[in-house]
Amino acid sequence: MSVPSWQQRPEDFANRITQSLKWIVQHMQQSGERSPWSALTPGELASRIPLTAPTTPEPLEDVLADLRDVIAPGLVRWDAPGWFAWFPSNSHPDAILGDLLASVMAQQGMLWTSSPACTELESRMLEWLRRSLGLCDRFAEGGAGGGVIQDTASSGVLACLVAARDRTTSGLASTRGGDACSGLVAYTSEQAHSSVLKAAGICGIGRDNLRLVPTDDQFRMDVRSLSRMMQDDVAAGLRPCFCCATVGTTGCGAIDPVSQIGQVCQKHDVWLHVDAAWAGTAAIASECREPITSGCELADSWSFNPHKWMGASFDCCCLWVADQRPLIDAMSIDPEYLRNSATGTGEVIDYRDWHVQLGRRFRAIKLWLLLRCTGAAAIAEMVEFHVELARSVEAAVNAHDCLVLAAPRSLSLLCIQHIDGDLATQSLLDTVNADGRFAVTHCKLDGLLVMRIAIGALNTDQATVDALIQVMTEASQ
Ligand code: PLP
């Protein structure tokens, strides 16, 4: 029986999946076969795609052939064994399966009523992860706080900043806008991620009113400076409302002293958010946990990205709040067309009230697959393995006459410099990237160029790290 042109029979879909599977397996098998970077020049890929979409269906074989010949050369292989750039962005096969299942189920999780499964599985996955990471009880499911999946850490910090802003202004910033934000100030360290600055601009506090607190000799927020800055601001009649501490800074993985920062924030009734976007995953390994979760009991919110190191496939940011009320007060909307009896009881979670957007994907399913089919113990083992690999790079750097660590190794992240300065470090970076097996990126610390080695791709192994050490050490004579 024929179906309308816009529909597809499930059995036809199954055939198409089988056809695509060959491509998928080949793609996965080839993760280390070429440079992780794409060799394309700007515009090259676009020039091979027509400006106008086809009006009649094309055979899937043709599309898959173009995927291989036109699209794949423009892919950057974040899954390569030699991927050491930025931070890892892992897609574990179980999470990929979860994403596929989520698309098949096509849920809209904005309200409990629009998908009880999406809502309740999400709350439970956040509780699984809270317990696996050893985060404090005030974030627990069923209490005053709780957890939610945001798309990214940037959205998470924005949501918390808006909640903090409204908490300090008793909601006037949301209702009146404009002057209601006047005098509000927020704090983060000089090493914090740029998303905090972006959020300050978006939420009306203003980028100029985000204080960048100096860091100590290990690039951690200097608590005395924070305390002094807050006192000075209060004395000047300003209103401190938000502070973002980072556990694992983007540059060198520095871990801010969250407990001490929390005490300063409590004194001034300032919302403390902890951004553990990358390093948060490491708390799943008991040997790495302590510095990561330390002080979380003083935080109003805490977030990490399972889509980075943990393997949960982009996008997936887990955010916990100690008190859901300020977030819901700031984000809640109640148009007539969304009213329903479950919401009316006040007994269900409507996740539309926990972030900026209304509609939401069924992201919890990939965490469910990952945690059930791969398991927390395997993820912990992976973290420990990557940290061990990083220790071997650290030992090679320490044994080398011309290489130094610009900051202490943080978990599996290393910041390396050539002792002859920026030009020599740049040359080292270029040599490593030109080798064809590795991808590395840079940052600046104390104004000096640094080559970052962020170990954490699922496929990274000892042999690849040994090869990196060899290239690095030989290029730095
Ligand atoms: N926070 C930290 C510490 C990061 O390292 C990053 C990105 O690497 C982010 C936030 C932003 O993450 P996202 O892309 O999820 O917004």
Side-chain angles (χ1 to χ4, degrees), residues 92-145:
H92 190 282
D94 286 329
I96 296 172
L97 200 53
D99 256 345
L100 177 64
L101 294 172
S103 290
V104 169
M105 291 182 277
Q107 296 297 284
Q108 255 305 344
M110 56 198 176
L111 303 166
W112 181 88
T113 291
S114 69
S115 180
C118 183
T119 304
E120 294 192 12
L121 186 67
E122 180 159 331
S123 299
R124 189 52 49 90
M125 287 308 97
L126 270 285
E127 183 60 13
W128 279 14
L129 279 174
R130 185 190 72 76
R131 291 172 184 227
S132 297
L133 265 53
L135 287 170
C136 52
D137 289 345
R138 61 203 297 251
F139 298 136
E141 180 188 354

Side-chain angles (χ1 to χ4, degrees), residues 72-105:
L75 297 178
V76 169
R77 298 303 303 252
W78 291 68
D79 57 341
W83 183 264
F84 305 119
W86 296 304
F87 279 130
S89 183
N90 288 327
S91 270
H92 190 282
D94 286 329
I96 296 172
L97 200 53
D99 256 345
L100 177 64
L101 294 172
S103 290
V104 169
M105 291 182 277

Side-chain angles (χ1 to χ4, degrees), residues 87 152-154 193 195 246 248-250 275 277-278 305 307-308 314:
F87 279 130
T152 58
S154 302
H193 190 262
S195 52
T246 313
T249 57
T250 312
D275 172 6
W278 160 69
N305 283 353
H307 70 229
K308 283 188 159 63
F314 193 84

Side-chain angles (χ1 to χ4, degrees), residues 311-330:
S313 294
F314 193 84
D315 52 8
C316 184
C317 168
C318 290
L319 170 73
W320 288 269
V321 287
D323 179 5
Q324 46 181 271
R325 208 59 254 169
L327 184 60
I328 293 174
D329 286 348

